[in-house]
Amino acid sequence: MAHIPNLDNAAINLTSLREQSQRELITILRNIRGKKCLVIDPKLGGSISLIVPTSILKENGAELRYLSSDPLQTECNKVVFLVRNRLDLMKHISSNIQDDIQKGLQREYFVYFVPRRSVACEKILDEEKVHHLLTIGEFPLYMVPLDEDILSFELDDAYKEYLVEGDSSLLWHIAKAIHKLESSFGVIPNVRAKGKGSLRVADILNRMQAEEPVSTPHAGIPEIQTLILLDREVDMVTPMLSQLTYEGLLDEILHVNNGAVELNASIMGVQQEGKKVKVPLNSSDKLFKEIRDLNFEVVVQVLRQKATSMKQDYSDITKSQTVSELKDFVKKLNTLPEITRHINLAQHLSEFTSKPSFLGQLDMEHTIVESESYDLCFEYIEEMIHKQEPFLGVLRLLVLFSVTNLGLPKRQFDYLRREILHSYGFEHVVTMTNLERAGLFRKQELKSNWLTIKRAMRLVVEDNNTANPSDISYVFSGYAPLSVRLIQQAIRSGWRPVEDILRLLPGSHSDTKRGGFSCGISSESLFGGSTNADKLVDGRRSLVLVVFIGGVTFAEISALRFLCAQEGMAYDIIIATTKVVSGDTLLDTFVEKLS
Amino acid sequence: MAATNAVAVAAEWLPLGNRYYRKPTLYTMKWKHIDLSRNKLACAPFGGPIAIIRDDSKIVQLYAESALRKLRIFNSAGVQVSESVWRNPGGRLVGFSWADDQTLICIVQDGTIYRYDQRAEIVGPGASLGRECFESSVVECVFWGNGVVCVNERLELFCVTDFERLGRDEGAVVKLPDVGLDEMPHCVAVIEPRFTESESVVVLLGVGDGLVVIEDGEVHRVGEGIGPVQKMVVSRDGKMLAAFTHDGRLLILSTQDFSRIIFEHECESALPPEQLAWCGMDTVLLYWDEVLLMVGPLGEPINYYYDEPIFLISECDGVRILSNTSMEFLQRVPDSTEVIFRIGSTEPPALLIDALDHFDKRSAKADENLRELRRRKALPEAIEACVDAAGYEFDISRQRTLLRAASYGQAFCSNVPRDRFQEMCKTLRILNAVRSPDVGIPLSIQQYKVLTAPVLISRLINANHHLLALRLSEYLGLNQELVVMHWACSKITASLAIPDPALLDILLEKLKLSKSISYAAVAEHADKSGRRKLAAMLIEHEPRSSKQVPLLLSIGEEDIALTKAIESGDTDLVYMVLFHIWHKRPYLEFLGTLHARPLAQDLLIAYAQCYKHDFLKQIFTTTGQSEEVAFVLWKESWELSKNPMASKGAPLHTPRLKLVEDARKLFAESKEHNFESKAAEEHAKLLRFQHELEVKTKQAIFVDSSISDTIRTCIVIGNHKDALRVKTEFKVSEKRWYWLKVFALATIGDWNGLEKFSKEKRPPIGYKPFVEACIEHDEKNEALKYIPKLSNPREKAEAYARIGMANEAAEAASQAKDSELLGRLRMSFSQNAAASSIFDALRDKLGVS
């Protein structure tokens, strides 16, 4: 399937990055002669499908299975497990193997860890007495390009594990991924970080550079000039809000997964009961590229316009005589499937957006962001709980409410927690603890400074023209994502002008310059100030790598793309993230699941 | 002058057939009082070291020396490198030879193999050829690069194909198949595995009047009738065999087909020569006392006379001749050299040399020569020949003359590649440096090319010429790390007397030279040399945590290892340390180590959470985090519910309840967890309640649903009494109660019940739940019963709008005086022109007022 996005227009050579991963995977398969059963960790399946078409895996003798605790069904006597180095997956591997042993099957087993071997995983395999049966290897896949400007580390639960359990493995992973990028594109001279995790990543990155210096083959001119690291904890407000861009809404309602949505065939106008279709969503689809970042209201208009002009053309064609006119028309007809596809999707989305509950939710989000009426917000959330509305939706507002207020007074905090346990079950005592530890829903200890932040960063923009926007606030119809505002600052002038505001946000910040060899020490003279460094001598646009630790939403991505497209902006942005998230998927990692 | 010069050069040559041979002197030996005839010698090829030990098979007179034998090692110039007293048991030294990695392999009678390095120190594990050789002495051994074939008294043959494997690997010594000999073979030779088809060694034995070939476990007799072979030697490429027969004939045989005699020469002596060696590929040297005979395929053999004993060392491009006083190199005169220096040569390079000579003498004849060369368009060829010939010279002034000639020619010729000249200068510099007597490696250019620069460097390192090796690496742009590393390790070994801090400084100064140096590897060596403290100091300087941490663990610095692992941010390293110390330390001490290190503790907990639940509780109990234990117990209570066996039995005694109760008690231990403790209490109560309900209703629909769900379920199944009981029991607020009951009634479509409920008393949260429930179930008429009762006009307007009653919606909205609301409602009625106009009108009104 053509789900693998086209990366030809990327600002750095992401194609070579992807091809390298592709080669590595194919080499692994080729080195294991003959037919083999490739057992993939289900969470990896998506990443792999963005790198190698399944057909190529099959060509190399691989029969595909997904890893589970169920016995492995295959005729092959070579079994290759391709798994993330997560502890919980090891039991599946050992149970698969032990099942074979019981059945008296003799097979050759290989375990390839993504992205690298892990002592703890191997310890479990050892204790399960299967380690000696395995040939162990690594598939160093640290990131996957999702699109021309998006790289994902595909770390689903790692941010929650970091915030709640203190397992900081993801920070090393992120630093390693950036270090890998640097080995292809040169050492990034400017590093600006905000938030605890970001600073640690910058620190580990410097260590890696000291340990294994990147030798710059590009005669000292790095392809990426600035690295901005942003810990999601700095801005938990934005992901809690309902995204209003086309792609954002698609994610909120249909859940975009690895650059595609899966939905009922009937929605796409195919009359087949119960059948699911997968619709790829990336820049290879020209129309999607045009409308993905627009506010959904505008998308509807654009699609209507396109349809109307098509209709006009169709009526004109009966009168037209020349072959060239016919040709033009036929060319336009080729875009018809795309238009139909997006009209179908938009139609489906507007069924949701026109619901009073959706509008009410938006209304409430704005009220909370504006910090307008505390009691009203409280009662609204309370009512949602009483009505047992979908749990994640409730949590989103709750977290938004708690974060903007720096927590809730103890009485109300306990009250809402109790109402949640009563309504959704006592198992969520763990969910509540997780959210509390992550600082997402907690007791109020300090007075909120949200109003100051909101005002200083101009987060709420009253007059906004969604059709012809002049500011990033269009992505939430009037709210400018705090994260993107910070990045805007960091690119333009560094942290210094907003230091006062930064201090009000979680975690500290840093701004360092790194040379090819010495690092960590700020040496202004080397690049003569940040503003000059951003502009390259040869007129090329300078490149900024923005890394979100803890996830980024499509709405924020759209806002960043909007920034790049502004006149007078001399930079391109590449976004790297632990995962593309929505409020639902982000909070879902914190929810206790009784499997 | 040039002519005489050339004459002087060519005068040293002797012709053999159509080729000339020369034997320039490489060194006058620096050693004193060495008499080769009294000693056994092992000389390594490629200008390697010379090992000498007094021959204990000969009766020799002792001068002013100890009766103990000494193994002495010299470089090729006769400078002593090292010596040690030979005290090894096991009988006479049967044979010794330098292996490819320049360790000296010594085999004694009882089959023991001793290995020495160039410092005359024993290295590697002890090894033996085995029981058979121990019982019956080894009498003969023939070495090649990295292996040996031995014959013992019982006429059994043994073979070692790789000295590296000795002492490590059972199969290092292989017994060759029995040949059925009844006497010692006249002579033994081997063809190296790399030259044989079977890729295993081929052993040749001179037996009877022919040869026995042992190859790949099979024995053949070949070449019957060529006459008893007294001595033989295989050519360097393994293709030919030179054999000396009992009647004084030298035979050259093909090793592919031993019956084919390629060449035969009758010698004057029927006595076998003491030494037999190939010189290059086409001539064979035979040495008897005082006479060295060189036999080639064409022409009369050359006789060289020596009045002292000599030793022949075969090289790939000639033979080095070692005597008590000198070392010579016998080689065929290279083509380019011959063309230049042959007497009367008028070839282009000879003309060029001549031109330079005239130029030096400021003679106009120089120009004449150059014109001639240009006329013949032969300048490039002449330059090339001079450069090439320079490479073959050992004499520096002659190298210089040839290179100057080339350089002189280049001035008149633009189209010769300059890098060839530069490359040659570079190579000669290197060769001259290593040929200097102190270093004593007399490599020819061809040998250098075969050996390669990296190998040369590693040989220099092994001979302790670190500085030269370093300079060479730098000069050639090769990795200096290797040299520095080896130096550091040798330094540590050799500096037992230097205290740790001082030695550290000395080492660091040099280690700094290379950026990517592995401090860990040097530290490892220090640790192995018994200097653990020095090792610890060195590891400090290792920037790569992935190297540093394991090493710290191996030297027992576990706490530092843990700290470093945490600093690195690499959680995998932290795990490595954790697992290392986990079972090494007493449990409490182990946890104590982690106490101040949250990352380590969190990782251990993450591991235990996934894999060792009991251990997890133990950790939390020890660290006094009873609330964490409570959470674990509580979570286990749900895991139990997955187990169908657990939910059976008396409700109060189910293990689930016990777990929840235990959790509650633990939470209750601290005030901070009041909330959790209450929640656990309620949970336990709910479980009991639900169990009771399930028993009563005989339906398993309650357990593990929430309190709200339990209420709903009760109402849905018509059990209002129990619903109310749950409400009171769990102090469910009126607000929530109304929502739950209204929605539950709507679910089962009990609209009468709903109306009755609405009239029970004035609903505490108004009629909104009733309206919503009806609208959601599309019961327009039911909804209309409650909409008018809504107190908030805004809600009223929206409710009317949702059931499509535009006029009523508009009316309510105008009461609310909310233009935004009007706008929104107008949107929802946009299909309905009449309704839209009503909203527009109302909005205008509001806008005006």
Side-chain angles (χ1 to χ4, degrees):
Chain A
M1 284 290 273
H3 288 303
I4 297 186
N6 182 351
L7 303 174
D8 293 347
N9 297 323
I12 50 173
N13 193 348
L14 293 182
T15 314
S16 77
L17 207 70
R18 184 170 64 195
E19 279 170 356
Q20 194 193 341
S21 302
Q22 195 174 49
R23 268 197 308 277
E24 282 162 351
L25 183 57
I26 292 172
T27 311
I28 289 172
L29 292 180
R30 286 204 180 138
N31 285 347
I32 300 164
R33 294 263 170 110
K35 269 188 77 68
K36 54 237 146 197
C37 178
L38 183 65
V39 186
I40 302 181
D41 166 1
K43 279 275 170 72
L44 262 181
S47 313
I48 303 237
S49 72
L50 285 172
I51 292 170
V52 187
T54 328
S55 59
I56 293 194
L57 298 180
K58 286 182 182 151
E59 274 166 32
N60 285 287
E63 183 184 301
L64 298 184
R65 294 281 182 283
Y66 280 117
L67 180 68
S68 71
S69 53
D70 302 336
L72 190 59
Q73 302 291 340
T74 177
E75 300 285 300
C76 304
N77 50 18
K78 285 179 181 172
V79 178
V80 188
F81 294 98
L82 188 63
V83 291
R84 291 167 302 151
N85 53 8
R86 294 184 57 86
L87 302 174
D88 49 338
L89 297 173
M90 297 306 113
K91 275 193 193 152
H92 294 333
I93 295 182
S94 78
S95 80
N96 277 188
I97 296 176
Q98 260 141 11
D99 185 71
D100 284 357
I101 295 173
Q102 268 178 14
K103 288 184 190 150
L105 293 169
Q106 283 211 339
R107 283 176 171 151
E108 241 185 292
Y109 301 99
F110 300 83
V111 175
Y112 279 85
F113 284 110
V114 178
R116 59 166 183 158
R117 297 173 72 142
S118 134
V119 173
C121 288
E122 287 184 49
K123 171 94 174 166
I124 293 182
L125 292 173
D126 192 40
E127 299 223 351
E128 291 282 314
K129 302 195 172 48
V130 293
H131 192 274
H132 64 283
L133 299 169
L134 307 169
T135 309
I136 291 181
E138 296 182 340
F139 174 36
L141 182 70
Y142 284 87
M143 62 204 135
V144 185
L146 295 183
D147 215 319
E148 291 167 4
D149 52 357
I150 312 172
L151 288 165
S152 172
F153 307 123
E154 292 295 298
L155 296 165
D156 296 52
D157 298 335
Y159 191 61
K160 172 244 171 183
E161 281 157 12
Y162 167 57
L163 289 183
V164 177
E165 282 138 42
D167 178 350
S168 60
S169 301
L170 89 159
L171 303 181
W172 191 89
H173 181 123
I174 294 167
K176 180 76 182 172
I178 300 172
H179 194 59
K180 271 191 111 175
L181 282 178
E182 287 188 322
S183 63
S184 309
F185 306 114
V187 176
I188 306 171
N190 304 299
V191 177
R192 293 178 188 139
K194 167 68 188 167
K196 205 166 86 230
S198 302
L199 260 68
R200 187 74 179 117
V201 169
D203 174 45
I204 298 174
L205 187 61
N206 279 342
R207 275 169 186 279
M208 284 176 174
Q209 175 64 13
E211 290 183 15
E212 278 165 69
V214 165
S215 48
T216 315
H218 321 276
I221 302 175
E223 289 189 47
I224 303 168
Q225 279 72 42
T226 306
L227 168 65
I228 295 172
L229 293 157
L230 202 68
D231 191 334
R232 190 74 263 180
E233 68 166 359
V234 176
D235 173 20
M236 270 296 180
V237 170
T238 306
M240 296 306 127
L241 298 173
S242 304
Q243 307 175 62
L244 296 177
T245 57
Y246 182 42
E247 196 171 14
L249 261 181
L250 281 169
D251 192 27
E252 294 280 1
I253 292 163
L254 295 167
H255 297 295
V256 178
N257 215 336
N258 298 301
V261 285
E262 207 177 287
L263 34 75
N264 281 328
S266 59
I267 297 169
M268 299 311 286
V270 183
Q271 290 309 331
Q272 239 173 324
E273 206 48 49
K275 206 183 161 236
K276 294 263 182 189
V277 288
K278 217 172 176 181
V279 182
L281 295 169
N282 56 49
S283 315
S284 311
D285 174 344
K286 294 259 166 44
L287 178 60
F288 185 61
K289 192 178 178 179
E290 188 185 329
I291 59 176
R292 68 197 298 186
D293 299 320
L294 301 180
N295 190 299
F296 183 59
E297 274 179 43
V298 184
V299 170
V300 177
Q301 291 163 25
V302 171
L303 289 175
R304 187 176 298 139
Q305 244 165 46
K306 298 237 176 213
T308 323
S309 96
M310 191 72 94
K311 198 174 165 194
Q312 182 66 39
D313 287 340
Y314 188 72
S315 55
D316 288 350
I317 200 72
T318 46
K319 300 168 216 153
S320 62
Q321 304 293 325
T322 68
V323 179
S324 74
E325 274 173 316
L326 271 172
K327 224 168 127 188
D328 284 346
F329 178 68
V330 171
K331 222 183 215 166
K332 274 189 186 163
L333 269 185
N334 286 339
T335 63
L336 197 59
E338 287 183 354
I339 296 177
T340 327
R341 183 191 308 156
H342 290 290
I343 286 176
N344 283 330
L345 284 173
Q347 166 90 38
H348 184 67
L349 293 188
S350 48
E351 273 169 34
F352 286 84
T353 55
S354 59
K355 276 190 187 161
S357 58
F358 181 80
L359 296 170
Q361 170 105 359
L362 282 190
D363 212 27
M364 190 43 57
E365 286 172 6
H366 269 114
T367 316
I368 297 176
V369 166
E370 290 271 26
S371 285
E372 267 175 351
S373 166
Y374 181 89
D375 292 340
L376 196 74
C377 301
F378 181 84
E379 279 160 22
Y380 186 89
I381 295 170
E382 183 195 18
E383 192 180 298
M384 281 177 91
I385 299 169
H386 288 163
K387 284 154 92 176
Q388 290 178 291
E389 291 203 0
F391 191 44
L392 287 173
V394 174
L395 286 187
R396 276 175 83 152
L397 277 187
L398 199 57
V399 169
L400 185 66
F401 193 45
S402 168
V403 170
T404 50
N405 284 294
L406 271 189
L408 268 58
K410 181 158 181 2
R411 214 175 48 81
Q412 295 185 327
F413 175 60
D414 281 349
Y415 171 70
L416 285 184
R417 282 201 292 173
R418 177 176 177 268
E419 293 299 302
I420 285 176
L421 298 190
H422 277 205
S423 300
Y424 297 94
F426 284 101
E427 65 269 28
H428 290 297
V429 74
V430 182
T431 311
M432 293 296 110
T433 317
N434 288 347
L435 290 174
E436 193 179 352
R437 286 191 184 157
L440 296 178
F441 177 47
R442 57 177 175 167
K443 209 161 64 198
Q444 195 176 44
E445 268 149 14
L446 295 165
K447 211 179 154 290
S448 167
N449 43 33
W450 174 249
L451 280 174
T452 323
I453 297 166
K454 185 189 84 171
R455 208 172 302 127
M457 300 306 285
R458 287 200 312 119
L459 298 185
V460 176
V461 178
E462 282 305 336
D463 87 290
N464 71 89
N465 177 352
T466 45
N468 193 7
S470 59
D471 182 75
I472 54 168
S473 58
Y474 84 90
V475 296
F476 287 103
S477 300
Y479 166 78
L482 171 58
S483 55
V484 182
R485 276 280 195 259
L486 289 172
I487 293 161
Q488 216 175 346
Q489 272 296 337
I491 297 175
R492 203 187 293 142
S493 45
W495 295 132
R496 202 162 297 159
V498 285
E499 270 182 343
D500 289 345
I501 296 301
L502 287 180
R503 269 187 218 110
L504 300 179
L505 294 165
S508 41
H509 60 276
S510 75
D511 193 337
T512 45
K513 297 214 181 296
R514 313 191 306 157
F517 298 105
S518 68
C519 38
I521 310 133
S522 164
S523 54
E524 294 272 328
S525 60
L526 208 60
F527 290 96
S530 53
T531 39
N532 289 348
D534 288 343
K535 281 173 200 135
L536 282 188
V537 204
D538 57 4
R540 241 179 350 133
R541 283 158 74 88
S542 97
L543 196 58
V544 179
L545 175 65
V546 179
V547 177
F548 285 88
I549 301 165
V552 66
T553 61
F554 280 116
E556 288 168 295
I557 293 173
S558 295
L560 286 170
R561 284 189 186 131
F562 175 82
L563 278 186
C564 288
Q566 288 314 97
E567 235 175 279
M569 292 294 178
Y571 45 80
D572 282 323
I573 293 178
I574 290 206
I575 299 156
T577 177
T578 44
K579 185 88 189 164
V580 176
V581 294
S582 67
D584 284 10
T585 54
L586 182 60
L587 288 181
D588 192 46
T589 59
F590 291 87
V591 173
E592 172 71 11
K593 288 160 199 93
L594 298 174
S595 41
Chain B
M1 268 296 280
T4 49
N5 206 345
V7 169
V9 175
E12 296 165 358
W13 303 350
L14 288 174
L16 178 66
N18 55 355
R19 300 305 308 244
Y20 291 97
Y21 284 80
R22 65 174 181 182
K23 54 181 187 85
T25 302
L26 301 176
Y27 299 114
T28 305
M29 300 309 279
K30 301 277 182 188
W31 60 34
K32 291 202 174 73
H33 314 303
I34 294 285
D35 180 358
L36 298 185
S37 60
R38 289 160 44 92
N39 292 294
K40 266 184 171 310
L41 270 81
C43 302
F46 294 101
I50 302 168
I52 292 185
I53 188 163
R54 200 167 67 220
D55 191 345
D56 53 354
S57 65
K58 286 179 184 166
I59 299 166
V60 293
Q61 190 186 351
L62 295 182
Y63 302 103
E65 60 186 301
S66 155
L68 283 172
R69 291 194 296 151
K70 269 185 188 167
L71 173 68
R72 305 175 70 186
I73 294 169
F74 296 90
N75 72 17
S76 288
V79 175
Q80 182 166 321
V81 178
S82 57
E83 60 170 32
S84 71
V85 177
W86 180 272
R87 293 178 200 274
N88 298 323
R92 272 218 302 273
L93 176 65
V94 184
F96 67 154
S97 171
W98 293 96
D100 283 345
D101 61 352
Q102 299 210 317
T103 49
L104 184 66
I105 312 290
C106 308
I107 299 180
V108 296
Q109 276 179 307
D110 72 353
T112 311
I113 301 173
Y114 299 102
R115 276 175 284 180
Y116 284 89
D117 63 12
Q118 290 185 56
R119 286 170 217 50
E121 282 161 12
I122 289 196
V123 290
S128 160
L129 287 172
R131 193 178 45 82
E132 285 112 322
C133 289
F134 184 77
E135 286 165 359
S136 358
S137 298
V138 180
V139 284
E140 169 95 38
C141 35
V142 180
F143 292 89
W144 76 91
N146 247 351
V148 68
V149 167
C150 300
V151 188
N152 70 3
E153 279 174 343
R154 272 194 282 185
L155 303 177
E156 292 162 322
L157 283 92
F158 299 88
C159 170
V160 177
T161 45
D162 185 359
F163 293 128
E164 290 281 314
R165 287 168 61 194
L166 271 181
R168 300 201 173 111
D169 184 340
E170 291 285 305
V173 182
V174 180
K175 185 175 178 185
L176 295 177
D178 188 22
V179 187
L181 297 176
D182 39 17
E183 54 173 354
M184 266 305 284
H186 311 303
C187 55
V188 185
V190 295
I191 308 175
E192 288 186 40
R194 60 186 168 128
F195 297 129
T196 64
E197 266 175 46
S198 58
E199 290 179 2
S200 60
V201 66
V202 172
V203 183
L204 307 173
L205 305 171
V207 177
D209 63 349
L211 297 171
V212 167
V213 180
I214 309 170
E215 178 167 17
D216 214 9
E218 286 176 41
V219 181
H220 313 277
R221 285 187 169 268
V222 293
E224 304 249 356
I226 57 171
V229 175
Q230 301 289 339
K231 205 151 187 104
M232 60 186 166
V233 61
V234 178
S235 69
R236 288 199 74 90
D237 61 358
K239 291 210 173 97
M240 284 182 289
L241 176 75
F244 189 89
T245 60
H246 71 300
D247 51 359
R249 281 175 302 139
L250 174 71
L251 304 176
I252 307 296
L253 307 171
S254 158
T255 55
Q256 315 292 317
D257 172 9
F258 289 97
S259 60
R260 214 181 107 221
I261 297 172
I262 299 168
F263 174 77
E264 184 172 340
H265 176 78
E266 295 263 356
C267 297
E268 284 165 25
S269 165
L271 209 66
E274 280 169 36
Q275 295 177 46
L276 183 66
W278 284 86
C279 174
M281 293 305 169
D282 47 8
T283 58
V284 176
L285 292 172
L286 301 92
Y287 173 68
W288 291 268
D289 213 7
E290 299 197 340
V291 182
L292 180 64
L293 182 73
M294 180 152 87
V295 182
L298 302 165
E300 274 300 298
I302 306 172
N303 275 300
Y304 295 102
Y305 295 96
Y306 286 90
D307 53 5
E308 53 179 358
I310 60 165
F311 191 81
L312 302 176
I313 308 159
S314 254
E315 295 283 6
C316 60
D317 56 344
V319 167
R320 278 185 295 139
I321 303 168
L322 174 67
S323 69
N324 290 345
T325 53
S326 68
M327 179 175 284
E328 298 167 328
F329 181 50
L330 174 57
Q331 65 166 168
R332 195 168 82 187
V333 174
D335 296 344
S336 54
T337 315
E338 192 184 321
V339 163
I340 295 169
F341 293 114
R342 197 175 53 220
I343 296 168
S345 171
T346 54
E347 299 288 323
L351 283 180
L352 182 58
I353 294 274
D354 197 39
L356 174 68
D357 197 36
H358 286 294
F359 176 74
D360 284 343
K361 284 185 285 184
R362 298 162 183 266
S363 151
K365 183 101 193 312
D367 184 51
E368 209 172 285
N369 275 7
L370 278 170
R371 277 167 200 259
E372 170 69 10
L373 280 172
R374 289 166 97 174
R375 192 184 57 75
R376 280 157 67 176
K377 295 200 172 54
L379 202 44
E381 170 197 333
I383 294 166
E384 166 56 28
C386 287
V387 172
D388 191 54
Y392 292 112
E393 290 305 321
F394 286 83
D395 181 84
I396 295 177
S397 71
R398 208 175 284 163
Q399 290 168 3
R400 192 174 289 136
T401 309
L402 289 163
L403 287 174
R404 277 189 61 225
S407 162
Y408 177 63
Q410 276 186 9
F412 299 93
C413 185
S414 55
N415 56 351
V416 282
R418 309 276 146 152
D419 45 356
R420 165 87 171 119
F421 182 81
Q422 281 165 6
E423 198 55 42
M424 182 56 79
C425 292
K426 213 170 181 175
T427 308
L428 281 174
R429 278 215 171 120
I430 293 162
L431 290 178
N432 292 339
V434 300
R435 283 169 189 167
S436 106
D438 299 338
V439 183
I441 304 181
L443 281 178
S444 72
I445 190 161
Q446 259 168 291
Q447 291 162 20
Y448 171 67
K449 281 178 184 155
V450 173
L451 190 67
T452 71
V455 179
L456 175 62
I457 287 169
S458 72
R459 291 195 168 189
L460 286 171
I461 294 171
N462 278 326
N464 263 346
H465 292 294
H466 290 108
L467 183 59
L468 182 59
L470 188 69
R471 295 267 155 83
L472 277 191
S473 313
E474 199 180 351
Y475 190 57
L476 292 169
L478 297 171
N479 190 358
Q480 289 165 262
E481 193 183 302
L482 198 77
V483 183
V484 179
M485 288 274 298
H486 190 277
W487 172 83
C489 294
S490 319
K491 188 77 192 169
I492 291 169
T493 315
S495 311
L496 289 174
I498 306 178
D500 291 335
L503 185 53
L504 179 73
D505 287 343
I506 296 172
L507 293 173
L508 286 182
E509 193 191 333
K510 298 282 192 296
L511 290 172
K512 275 189 300 201
L513 288 174
S514 179
K515 276 207 189 64
S516 50
I517 199 96
S518 167
Y519 287 85
V522 182
E524 199 175 350
H525 182 84
D527 186 44
K528 275 190 198 145
S529 315
R531 302 190 71 156
R532 184 151 282 190
K533 257 179 96 182
L534 178 67
M537 292 169 171
L538 280 164
I539 302 173
E540 262 302 298
H541 290 84
E542 171 63 58
R544 274 163 294 187
S545 339
S546 54
K547 297 260 156 60
Q548 196 182 30
V549 171
L551 204 63
L552 281 166
L553 288 180
S554 78
I555 65 165
E557 294 283 358
E558 287 143 4
D559 284 347
I560 302 178
L562 187 54
T563 309
K564 294 279 178 193
I566 292 169
E567 277 174 13
S568 78
D570 185 344
T571 43
D572 201 42
L573 282 178
V574 181
Y575 269 125
M576 180 194 272
V577 182
L578 278 180
F579 293 139
H580 185 90
I581 57 178
W582 189 342
H583 297 295
K584 268 181 82 177
R585 298 194 175 180
Y587 171 71
L588 281 178
E589 194 193 321
F590 173 56
L591 285 189
T593 315
L594 306 190
H595 183 64
R597 297 171 167 108
L599 177 61
Q601 194 167 332
D602 288 342
L603 288 177
L604 182 70
I605 288 168
Y607 176 77
Q609 189 112 43
C610 177
Y611 198 63
K612 302 230 166 199
H613 252 200
D614 293 333
F615 180 60
L616 187 64
K617 279 181 271 183
Q618 203 183 343
I619 298 173
F620 288 137
T621 313
T622 325
T623 53
Q625 293 166 280
S626 44
E627 75 282 0
E628 294 291 349
V629 183
F631 274 121
V632 176
L633 292 176
W634 208 350
K635 279 184 199 167
E636 279 176 5
S637 84
W638 279 290
E639 266 157 43
L640 265 187
S641 77
K642 275 184 271 170
N643 181 353
M645 298 303 288
S647 56
K648 286 180 183 151
L652 285 173
H653 300 98
T654 55
R656 280 200 73 183
L657 270 176
K658 186 169 179 328
L659 285 170
V660 182
E661 283 289 350
D662 287 348
R664 186 196 61 78
K665 278 181 215 147
L666 287 167
F667 280 127
E669 281 177 16
S670 79
K671 251 175 93 183
E672 287 156 58
H673 297 94
N674 199 10
F675 175 82
E676 285 84 357
S677 145
K678 269 195 190 150
E681 193 185 333
E682 282 189 314
H683 186 207
K685 199 158 127 193
L686 178 66
L687 280 174
R688 275 192 219 104
F689 217 104
Q690 289 174 329
H691 200 94
E692 207 182 289
L693 283 170
E694 288 193 354
V695 171
K696 205 197 262 174
T697 59
K698 297 190 182 67
Q699 290 185 82
I701 46 173
F702 289 102
V703 173
D704 272 337
S705 64
S706 68
I707 292 175
S708 294
D709 287 339
T710 308
I711 292 176
R712 280 202 196 205
T713 316
C714 282
I715 295 172
V716 167
I717 61 172
N719 185 349
H720 292 274
K721 213 177 113 212
D722 279 321
L724 209 60
R725 252 182 81 206
V726 175
K727 175 187 177 265
T728 359
E729 203 63 49
F730 292 96
K731 300 194 181 70
V732 171
S733 66
E734 284 288 309
K735 281 192 212 170
R736 178 140 55 91
W737 168 252
Y738 264 82
W739 279 110
L740 291 172
K741 185 158 180 179
V742 167
F743 274 60
L745 289 172
T747 313
I748 46 171
D750 184 359
W751 305 113
N752 287 333
L754 188 68
E755 196 171 352
K756 230 169 94 193
F757 183 45
S758 79
K759 286 173 181 159
E760 252 175 39
K761 62 175 180 184
R762 201 183 144 69
I765 44 169
Y767 292 91
K768 191 175 162 197
F770 295 87
V771 174
E772 276 196 25
C774 296
I775 295 178
E776 243 165 60
H777 287 85
D778 255 344
E779 291 288 337
K780 202 170 155 183
N781 290 330
E782 290 299 325
L784 278 173
K785 288 182 186 163
Y786 309 107
I787 297 179
K789 295 184 178 169
L790 288 171
S791 50
N792 184 339
R794 200 184 142 95
E795 281 173 5
K796 211 188 268 178
E798 274 173 355
Y800 277 125
R802 280 176 71 187
I803 55 171
M805 297 171 71
N807 288 332
E808 287 79 357
E811 195 182 323
S814 66
Q815 272 174 35
K817 297 199 174 147
D818 184 339
S819 62
E820 190 266 338
L821 176 68
L822 280 169
R824 195 137 48 85
L825 292 177
R826 187 198 179 282
M827 286 277 285
S828 51
F829 284 104
S830 58
Q831 309 296 322
N832 181 338
S836 300
S837 62
I838 300 173
F839 285 105
D840 285 340
L842 280 170
R843 223 154 37 137
D844 288 347
K845 236 162 114 192
L846 272 178
V848 176
S849 58

